[in-house]
Amino acid sequence: MTRAVTGGGIGRGVNGRIGGRIGGRIGGGIGAAALVALTATGVLADEPGGRVKLGVLTDMSGFASDSTGMGSVVAAQLAAEDFAGEMPGVTIEVITGDHQNKPDLGSSIARQWLDREQVNAILDVPFSSVALAVNEVTRNSKAMFIASGPGTTELTGPKCSPNTVQWTYDTWALANGTARAVVGEGGRSWYFLTADYAFGHALEKDAGSVVAATGGQVAGSVRHPPNAPDFSSYLLQAQASKAQIIGLANAVGDTINSVKQATEFGITASGQKLAALLMQLTDVNAVGLQSAQGLYLTEAFYWDLNADTRAFADRFAAKMKGRRPTGNQAGVYSGALHYLKAVKAAGTTDAAKVAAAMREIPIDDKLFGKGTVRVDGRAVHDMHFFQVKSPAESKAEWDYYKHIKTIPAADAFRPLEAGGCPLADKKA
């Protein structure tokens, strides 16, 4: 079920290979991309022909496809392109698969990639249940899992694996960043609107703990089923609580719909504010600034943060019909680049040696800045606290965020000793 592409399309089955020259546009497909010949020779003795194969396992058509999907494939392509020249004679190949947000399908594709396709690293994997399944497939293999898409802290907690690095964010970082900053800004009373599954529960629990620890109080919470079409009853309960902040412990379509309906009911106009515990640029774009203005959120990346992020966003936009990259998509780029650096340093694609090199080499790229990879697999870097601009404040398309503060890497993620990762215990 592999489809090779050399010109004007992209494999859209369970597994697609993207090949051809670097360049091209997304408009008629990526005829570009992902088969990248580097300029050097003989650094990977254990790989026939000197080849590194990256598999972008993502959501190509579901509710996370805007924030990951094709943009994640492009991000991996750009990482390969930027690494050209670093390893003589080595070819980087990128293939893609659509897990459709199904853990069984995701693990099946991952297993096929490792057994038949000789994929060396699996990238992205939004949706935590799929990521946990892939985590187990790669655990005892010779392949790495660079998880830029999922938010579950289980990946760096009890389920941590020596072969997995969680790159972009997690529920602890999002909840800690937003709750701590909002309480610091005076938002002391909270009410949570929570998606009724493990991811939403974790966001509510982590944010509630921070609110309480920093002198605030939680007035209550209400839980809704995933993909709920109508949030009116839940929002009215939140409004009746009189809490200053309504914390949205949900994601993607649920967050988009809850923000839109909160505006329709006049909740934000009445003085209550919304704090999104997971919201990305494409979600704000879907909501629109008229409804999203004033909303607080934490992200690892924003395309307009500095000159380097803008330069990357311009390259990305050239392949994505003007769209700007999300934090998840930037995480695919950053994680893939660090992986390739580690492959070069280790002189092999064997996961044990590459993982050691990823932890030894400092993170240092133009999107995420400086950081480290811990023994539990957590990539530690700065996070950023933002507020969504009003329509009057936005000066151009995709100009959505006001940068309020940077959360230093040392404060951004759960402490190593608090996660319960067995690898951390062994190190101690």
Side-chain angles (χ1 to χ4, degrees):
M1 302 182 74
T2 298
R3 182 176 172 191
V5 179
T6 57
I10 179 168
R12 294 283 189 155
V14 172
N15 186 46
R17 178 176 284 100
I18 305 168
R21 64 181 180 80
I22 298 176
R25 302 180 175 226
I26 291 285
I30 302 187
L35 191 60
V36 183
L38 303 185
T39 52
T41 164
V43 290
L44 296 178
D46 59 343
E47 287 295 337
R51 188 267 291 128
V52 179
K53 187 179 283 191
L54 308 177
V56 181
L57 184 55
T58 190
D59 177 2
M60 296 296 289
S61 56
F63 61 79
S65 58
D66 270 359
S67 60
T68 58
M70 186 63 69
S72 292
V73 178
V74 168
Q77 170 203 347
L78 291 173
E81 188 177 295
D82 285 349
F83 206 68
E86 296 294 325
M87 291 191 295
V90 174
T91 297
I92 300 176
E93 184 180 355
V94 174
I95 65 173
T96 182
D98 183 1
H99 61 51
Q100 299 176 33
N101 301 317
K102 299 175 181 178
D104 57 343
L105 180 57
S107 61
S108 177
I109 295 172
R111 194 169 289 109
Q112 175 183 314
W113 280 358
L114 270 55
D115 293 345
R116 301 179 190 175
E117 295 278 351
Q118 287 76 52
V119 166
N120 303 117
I122 296 176
L123 310 177
D124 201 15
V125 196
F127 207 69
S128 293
S129 62
V130 183
L132 288 168
V134 172
N135 185 58
E136 295 310 311
V137 172
T138 56
R139 180 181 295 276
N140 295 312
S141 74
K142 292 188 176 182
M144 291 292 298
F145 175 23
I146 315 299
S148 59
T152 177
T153 54
E154 292 286 294
L155 289 172
T156 57
K159 301 293 186 182
C160 68
S161 162
N163 291 18
T164 295
V165 175
Q166 190 172 18
W167 200 264
T168 311
Y169 70 99
D170 57 38
T171 56
W172 194 97
L174 296 176
N176 179 71
T178 299
R180 190 174 298 277
V182 170
V183 173
E185 294 274 319
R188 301 176 67 82
S189 62
W190 286 60
Y191 188 93
F192 288 98
L193 186 64
T194 303
D196 194 11
Y197 61 104
F199 176 80
H201 299 172
L203 280 175
E204 179 189 329
K205 177 178 178 293
D206 289 339
S209 296
V210 173
V211 169
T214 52
Q217 63 180 39
V218 177
S221 67
V222 62
R223 292 180 174 177
H224 66 81
N227 302 316
D230 182 7
F231 284 84
S232 56
S233 64
Y234 312 118
L235 287 166
L236 290 173
Q237 290 182 62
Q239 185 178 39
S241 74
K242 305 297 184 182
Q244 295 169 287
I245 305 296
I246 300 175
L248 303 178
N250 49 23
V252 201
D254 288 332
T255 305
I256 291 169
N257 289 332
S258 52
V259 172
K260 285 181 176 179
Q261 292 178 37
T263 303
E264 291 169 4
F265 296 150
I267 290 175
T268 50
S270 68
Q272 286 179 299
K273 293 185 177 180
L274 303 180
L277 299 177
L278 174 56
M279 194 168 199
Q280 296 206 53
L281 191 71
T282 46
D283 301 327
V284 175
N285 188 62
V287 170
L289 290 183
Q290 189 62 44
S291 296
Q293 61 182 311
L295 186 147
Y296 295 111
L297 54 91
T298 297
E299 288 230 52
F301 167 89
Y302 177 49
W303 73 269
D304 199 21
L305 197 59
N306 55 52
D308 288 330
T309 57
R310 286 189 288 273
F312 173 78
D314 288 343
R315 294 173 60 210
F316 181 92
K319 297 177 180 291
M320 289 292 290
K321 292 186 175 180
R323 295 173 70 90
R324 299 292 168 170
T326 65
N328 278 355
Q329 291 158 349
V332 171
Y333 172 91
S334 179
L337 194 63
H338 192 72
Y339 169 80
L340 292 171
K341 291 177 182 178
V343 168
K344 179 184 177 183
T348 179
T349 57
D350 181 79
K353 294 178 181 178
V354 174
M358 290 187 76
R359 294 179 174 96
E360 182 176 339
I361 300 169
I363 298 170
D364 189 4
D365 67 56
K366 294 181 179 181
L367 304 191
F368 281 55
K370 298 182 183 298
T372 58
V373 176
R374 296 191 314 211
V375 67
D376 61 349
R378 178 66 262 169
V380 177
H381 48 72
D382 290 349
M383 297 288 286
H384 304 279
F385 181 61
F386 298 102
Q387 188 173 30
V388 177
K389 291 182 175 182
S390 69
E393 292 171 315
S394 177
K395 304 305 180 186
E397 190 176 13
W398 300 99
D399 176 23
Y400 295 159
Y401 293 173
K402 289 186 290 188
H403 185 255
I404 305 300
K405 63 181 290 188
T406 296
I407 305 166
D411 301 325
F413 293 95
R414 180 178 64 188
L416 176 63
E417 63 275 10
C421 171
L423 299 173
D425 294 338
K426 289 179 182 178
K427 182 180 179 182

